[in-house]
């Protein structure tokens, strides 16, 4: 297959797939496929609830069409899979969306076709888990009749600077010729350039350690915050002082959620355990980060008790629900841990987040955010996400939401140490 002969399809039109489809749609014909009919109708009307693309960008991608019909994939010969790879309730990789997408493609796969995966997986997943499904449903043989590649996504939701074209892309292919073709394909849109890995497994491994490294660094700072809190030392002040050294890494404590950092390490540890190695450091970091919601609520309850605030029945406002600031992404948000812990103490919890689509919050977590803030009614306020709207409110306006004796817990350093009762 020559580069100019590629007929491209993007499978999955979420935070990863849609920006990719839009970039390619400016250059060549692209079929954007998703099983969510509501999502397709939304995109056809020029709306993207993820806010990763604008209406103007969707219009500019004039070569991009949207569909939920697998038959419309038959005319394509190169497929990029960008479906989610979550974990289940036991912290195990859930490959269901990936394998279902592979099944769909296997039914339309033809000789000479190429399937490229972008979903985060453990090393070996593409060739050991996905390829057999493609072979089963197509009746074709891997690296003889069809080929594969892996190019891990590096999307940072809500980040308007490091968008898909501006971030260097790792590419790989199942044969040297296919690897070159895939690399050339991505170079059509990636202005930051590409890095062609030596194999699919190396590309898979590179992706999964990117976020594992960040997870461990945040775990270290979270543990330091716990230690400094016990010592009565302000963590932010310590980090600013240490940050005066040129090679100090600027990580901050907090809840570690999202579809990448809070998930990817479990893919690597799953594979490590499958080959007989029990990872110590990675899992220790995961346990610590997963426990921060419970730790934060314990600190809040202690502060309320010291102020003689009755915890049972207390009204608590949680400001923010998304996994990070200034974006509507609710995937794997760990703010829900705080909400759950507070409810275990029989607190009455209101959740307010101007970025959240209420229907999504209800569907994902059975949480109905409030639409409007009311002053002077809360016994405690938890600043859980550093949305710009909350920063703009400032100390006086946020404080006014609580009763005169209320406790204000700032998890994200939105306010100064003097303005809040508690900080991580």
């Amino acid at each position: 297959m020559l580069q100019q002969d590629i007929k491209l399809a993007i499978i999955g039109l979420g935070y990863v797939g849609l920006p990719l489809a839009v970039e390619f749609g400016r250059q060549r014909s692209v079929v954007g496929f998703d099983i969510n009919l509501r999502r397709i109708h939304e995109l056809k009307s020029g709306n993207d609830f993820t806010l990763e693309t604008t209406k103007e960008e969707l219009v500019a991608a004039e070569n991009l069409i949207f569909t939920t019909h697998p038959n419309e994939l038959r005319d394509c010969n190169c497929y990029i899979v960008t479906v989610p790879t979550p974990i289940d309730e036991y912290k195990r990789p859930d490959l269901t969306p990936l394998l279902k997408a592979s099944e769909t493609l296997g039914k339309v796969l033809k000789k000479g076709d190429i399937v490229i995966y972008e979903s985060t997986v453990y090393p070996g997943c593409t060739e050991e888990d996905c390829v057999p499904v493609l072979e089963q449903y197509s009746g074709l043989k891997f690296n003889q009749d069809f080929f594969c590649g892996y190019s891990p996504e590096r999307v940072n939701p809500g980040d308007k600077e490091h968008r898909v074209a501006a971030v260097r892309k790792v590419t790989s292919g199942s044969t040297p010729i296919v690897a070159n073709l895939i690399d050339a394909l991505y170079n059509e849109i990636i202005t930051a350039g590409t890095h062609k890995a030596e194999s699919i497994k190396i590309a898979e491994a590179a992706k999964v350690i990117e976020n594992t490294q960040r997870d461990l660094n945040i775990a270290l700072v979270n543990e330091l915050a716990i230690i400094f809190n016990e010592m009565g030392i302000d963590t932010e002040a310590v980090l600013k002082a240490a940050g005066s050294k040129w090679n100090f890494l600027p990580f901050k404590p907090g809840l570690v959620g999202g579809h990448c950092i809070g998930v990817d390490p479990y893919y690597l540890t799953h594979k490590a355990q499958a080959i007989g190695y029990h990872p110590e450091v990675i899992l220790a970091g995961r346990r610590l980060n997963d426990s921060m919601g419970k730790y934060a609520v314990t600190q809040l309850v202690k502060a309320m008790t010291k102020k003689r605030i009755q915890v049972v029945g207390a009204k608590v406002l949680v400001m923010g629900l998304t996994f990070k600031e200034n974006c509507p992404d609710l995937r794997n948000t760990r703010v829900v841990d705080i909400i759950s812990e507070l409810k275990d103490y029989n607190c009455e919890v209101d959740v307010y987040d101007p970025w959240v689509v209420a229907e999504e919050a209800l569907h994902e977590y059975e949480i109905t955010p409030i639409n409007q803030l009311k002053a002077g009614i809360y016994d405690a306020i938890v600043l859980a996400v550093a949305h710009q709207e909350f920063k703009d409110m400032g100390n006086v306006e946020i404080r006014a939401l609580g009763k005169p004796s209320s406790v204000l817990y700032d998890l994200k350093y939105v306010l100064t140490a003097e303005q809040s009762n508690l900080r991580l």
Side-chain angles (χ1 to χ4, degrees), residues 208 211-212 215 260-270 282 286:
V208 81
N211 288 316
T212 299
D215 192 43
C260 291
I261 299 180
V263 172
D264 295 358
Y266 287 119
Y267 274 76
L268 183 56
T269 58
H270 169 82
I282 298 171
R286 278 282 74 235

Side-chain angles (χ1 to χ4, degrees), residues 70-77 79 107-110 113:
N71 282 338
E72 295 193 42
L73 299 172
R74 292 187 181 278
D75 290 335
C76 299
N77 55 21
Y79 313 89
K107 294 175 181 178
V108 300
L109 212 57
K110 306 172 298 300
D113 286 2

Side-chain angles (χ1 to χ4, degrees), residues 239-287:
L239 294 175
K240 284 181 177 178
S244 63
K245 188 180 179 186
W246 61 271
N247 62 349
F248 184 80
L249 300 177
F251 287 91
K252 292 183 178 180
L255 306 175
V256 184
H259 189 65
C260 291
I261 299 180
V263 172
D264 295 358
Y266 287 119
Y267 274 76
L268 183 56
T269 58
H270 169 82
K271 185 64 175 182
Q273 290 167 332
I275 61 174
Y277 178 79
H278 181 74
E280 302 284 352
V281 177
I282 298 171
L283 286 176
R286 278 282 74 235
R287 285 193 296 270

Side-chain angles (χ1 to χ4, degrees), residues 140-192:
L140 302 175
K141 188 164 181 60
F142 177 51
N143 274 348
Q144 178 177 308
D145 300 318
F146 72 92
F147 307 89
C148 284
Y150 185 78
S151 180
E153 59 90 2
R154 282 177 166 171
V155 170
N156 186 24
D159 189 337
K160 301 308 178 185
E161 179 182 355
H162 301 99
R163 305 189 73 185
V164 60
V167 178
R168 196 174 184 194
K169 200 91 162 70
V170 174
T171 67
S172 65
S174 56
T175 71
I177 292 175
V178 169
N180 288 337
L181 180 58
I182 291 171
D183 192 66
L185 174 65
Y186 278 107
N187 268 298
E188 292 180 359
I189 63 166
I190 306 298
T191 57

Side-chain angles (χ1 to χ4, degrees), residues 278-410:
H278 181 74
E280 302 284 352
V281 177
I282 298 171
L283 286 176
R286 278 282 74 235
R287 285 193 296 270
L288 197 146
N289 284 341
D290 279 346
S291 71
M292 290 306 291
K294 185 172 184 177
Y295 170 77
V297 172
T298 300
Q299 293 296 99
L300 178 63
V301 168
K302 285 182 180 178
M304 292 171 69
T305 303
K306 287 180 180 178
K307 281 197 165 194
R308 300 185 184 280
I309 298 173
Q310 177 68 40
V311 175
V312 174
K315 284 191 69 67
V316 181
L317 173 65
V318 175
M319 298 181 70
L321 181 59
T322 61
F323 91 88
K324 65 178 290 189
E325 67 276 5
N326 305 326
C327 83
D329 196 347
L330 287 171
R331 293 175 298 173
N332 194 39
T333 174
R334 299 305 355 129
V335 179
V336 296
D337 297 342
I338 289 177
I339 297 167
S340 178
E341 283 291 317
L342 287 169
K343 289 182 177 180
D344 283 346
Y345 280 99
N346 290 317
C347 296
E348 296 179 21
V349 183
D350 282 346
V351 180
Y352 176 74
D353 193 319
W355 284 85
V356 164
V357 177
E359 291 80 5
E360 292 291 325
L362 182 62
H363 177 263
E364 292 294 327
Y365 302 109
E366 298 183 348
I367 292 172
T368 303
I370 60 174
N371 297 319
Q372 192 172 1
L373 292 171
K374 293 183 179 179
I377 66 172
Y378 296 104
D379 297 293
I381 300 168
V382 180
L383 265 169
V385 185
H387 290 316
Q388 186 61 47
E389 288 86 344
F390 300 157
K391 293 180 179 179
D392 293 342
M393 289 175 68
N395 176 54
V396 174
E397 195 173 341
I398 292 173
R399 277 285 185 186
L401 300 171
K403 299 174 183 177
S405 62
S406 63
V407 174
L408 175 56
Y409 195 169
D410 183 2

